[in-house]
mmCIF file of all heavy atoms in Angstrom:
data_model
loop_
_atom_site.group_PDB
_atom_site.id
_atom_site.type_symbol
_atom_site.label_atom_id
_atom_site.label_comp_id
_atom_site.label_asym_id
_atom_site.label_seq_id
_atom_site.Cartn_x
_atom_site.Cartn_y
_atom_site.Cartn_z
ATOM 1 N N ASP A 44 -3.960 42.918 -39.861
ATOM 2 C CA ASP A 44 -5.040 41.976 -39.642
ATOM 3 C C ASP A 44 -5.901 42.514 -38.437
ATOM 4 O O ASP A 44 -7.127 42.460 -38.461
ATOM 5 C CB ASP A 44 -4.512 40.637 -39.245
ATOM 6 C CG ASP A 44 -4.223 39.840 -40.532
ATOM 7 O OD1 ASP A 44 -4.233 40.470 -41.574
ATOM 8 O OD2 ASP A 44 -4.018 38.615 -40.452
ATOM 9 N N ASP A 51 -14.166 44.721 -38.290
ATOM 10 C CA ASP A 51 -15.224 43.860 -38.720
ATOM 11 C C ASP A 51 -16.063 43.332 -37.592
ATOM 12 O O ASP A 51 -17.280 43.275 -37.638
ATOM 13 C CB ASP A 51 -14.603 42.686 -39.493
ATOM 14 C CG ASP A 51 -14.046 43.080 -40.847
ATOM 15 O OD1 ASP A 51 -14.290 44.187 -41.265
ATOM 16 O OD2 ASP A 51 -13.387 42.216 -41.476
ATOM 17 N N GLU A 54 -18.312 45.949 -36.164
ATOM 18 C CA GLU A 54 -19.409 46.257 -37.076
ATOM 19 C C GLU A 54 -20.443 45.146 -37.023
ATOM 20 O O GLU A 54 -21.680 45.409 -36.870
ATOM 21 C CB GLU A 54 -18.839 46.343 -38.477
ATOM 22 C CG GLU A 54 -19.812 46.967 -39.470
ATOM 23 C CD GLU A 54 -19.224 47.015 -40.860
ATOM 24 O OE1 GLU A 54 -17.990 47.157 -40.981
ATOM 25 O OE2 GLU A 54 -19.956 46.944 -41.857
ATOM 26 N N GLU A 55 -19.995 43.952 -37.040
ATOM 27 C CA GLU A 55 -20.989 42.820 -37.083
ATOM 28 C C GLU A 55 -21.602 42.560 -35.724
ATOM 29 O O GLU A 55 -22.722 42.088 -35.680
ATOM 30 C CB GLU A 55 -20.222 41.500 -37.552
ATOM 31 C CG GLU A 55 -21.050 40.274 -37.799
ATOM 32 C CD GLU A 55 -21.862 40.382 -39.095
ATOM 33 O OE1 GLU A 55 -21.907 41.491 -39.701
ATOM 34 O OE2 GLU A 55 -22.429 39.358 -39.464
ATOM 35 N N GLU A 75 -15.186 33.946 -32.658
ATOM 36 C CA GLU A 75 -14.450 34.520 -33.809
ATOM 37 C C GLU A 75 -12.987 34.775 -33.358
ATOM 38 O O GLU A 75 -12.022 34.550 -34.115
ATOM 39 C CB GLU A 75 -15.087 35.794 -34.341
ATOM 40 C CG GLU A 75 -16.377 35.555 -35.124
ATOM 41 C CD GLU A 75 -16.163 34.927 -36.473
ATOM 42 O OE1 GLU A 75 -15.018 34.927 -36.937
ATOM 43 O OE2 GLU A 75 -17.163 34.468 -37.066
ATOM 44 N N ARG B 55 -17.224 37.785 -46.399
ATOM 45 C CA ARG B 55 -17.877 36.641 -45.658
ATOM 46 C C ARG B 55 -19.320 36.547 -45.981
ATOM 47 O O ARG B 55 -19.863 35.482 -46.248
ATOM 48 C CB ARG B 55 -17.695 36.941 -44.168
ATOM 49 C CG ARG B 55 -18.270 35.813 -43.352
ATOM 50 C CD ARG B 55 -17.725 35.852 -41.985
ATOM 51 N NE ARG B 55 -18.555 36.543 -41.092
ATOM 52 C CZ ARG B 55 -18.721 36.205 -39.843
ATOM 53 N NH1 ARG B 55 -18.000 35.234 -39.384
ATOM 54 N NH2 ARG B 55 -19.554 36.896 -39.093
ATOM 55 N N TYR B 72 -9.105 35.867 -43.084
ATOM 56 C CA TYR B 72 -7.863 36.771 -43.067
ATOM 57 C C TYR B 72 -6.643 35.976 -43.377
ATOM 58 O O TYR B 72 -5.725 36.438 -44.064
ATOM 59 C CB TYR B 72 -7.791 37.573 -41.840
ATOM 60 C CG TYR B 72 -8.611 38.872 -41.859
ATOM 61 C CD1 TYR B 72 -9.874 38.911 -41.308
ATOM 62 C CD2 TYR B 72 -8.084 39.998 -42.412
ATOM 63 C CE1 TYR B 72 -10.607 40.034 -41.393
ATOM 64 C CE2 TYR B 72 -8.831 41.161 -42.476
ATOM 65 C CZ TYR B 72 -10.111 41.177 -41.964
ATOM 66 O OH TYR B 72 -10.834 42.342 -42.014
ATOM 67 N N ASN B 76 -4.248 36.813 -46.369
ATOM 68 C CA ASN B 76 -2.833 37.145 -46.169
ATOM 69 C C ASN B 76 -1.972 36.282 -47.007
ATOM 70 O O ASN B 76 -0.950 36.771 -47.673
ATOM 71 C CB ASN B 76 -2.430 36.982 -44.699
ATOM 72 C CG ASN B 76 -2.912 38.130 -43.881
ATOM 73 O OD1 ASN B 76 -3.152 39.226 -44.393
ATOM 74 N ND2 ASN B 76 -3.034 37.877 -42.583
ATOM 75 N N ARG B 95 -17.318 51.204 -36.604
ATOM 76 C CA ARG B 95 -16.371 50.104 -36.446
ATOM 77 C C ARG B 95 -15.409 50.354 -35.212
ATOM 78 O O ARG B 95 -14.313 49.861 -35.185
ATOM 79 C CB ARG B 95 -15.524 49.933 -37.709
ATOM 80 C CG ARG B 95 -16.341 49.462 -38.916
ATOM 81 C CD ARG B 95 -15.544 49.520 -40.176
ATOM 82 N NE ARG B 95 -14.311 48.728 -40.137
ATOM 83 C CZ ARG B 95 -14.243 47.397 -40.353
ATOM 84 N NH1 ARG B 95 -15.337 46.793 -40.745
ATOM 85 N NH2 ARG B 95 -13.122 46.828 -40.396
ATOM 86 N N ARG B 101 -10.273 47.012 -43.960
ATOM 87 C CA ARG B 101 -9.159 46.592 -44.790
ATOM 88 C C ARG B 101 -9.761 46.026 -46.113
ATOM 89 O O ARG B 101 -10.309 44.926 -46.090
ATOM 90 C CB ARG B 101 -8.343 45.564 -44.072
ATOM 91 C CG ARG B 101 -7.055 45.230 -44.790
ATOM 92 C CD ARG B 101 -6.177 44.288 -43.974
ATOM 93 N NE ARG B 101 -5.110 43.747 -44.793
ATOM 94 C CZ ARG B 101 -4.517 42.624 -44.514
ATOM 95 N NH1 ARG B 101 -4.868 41.909 -43.407
ATOM 96 N NH2 ARG B 101 -3.523 42.124 -45.253
#
Side-chain angles (χ1 to χ4, degrees):
Chain A
D44 277 11
D51 287 352
E54 193 180 330
E55 187 76 348
E75 288 286 347
Chain B
R55 184 159 95 146
Y72 274 95
N76 282 337
R95 295 171 57 84
R101 186 174 168 204

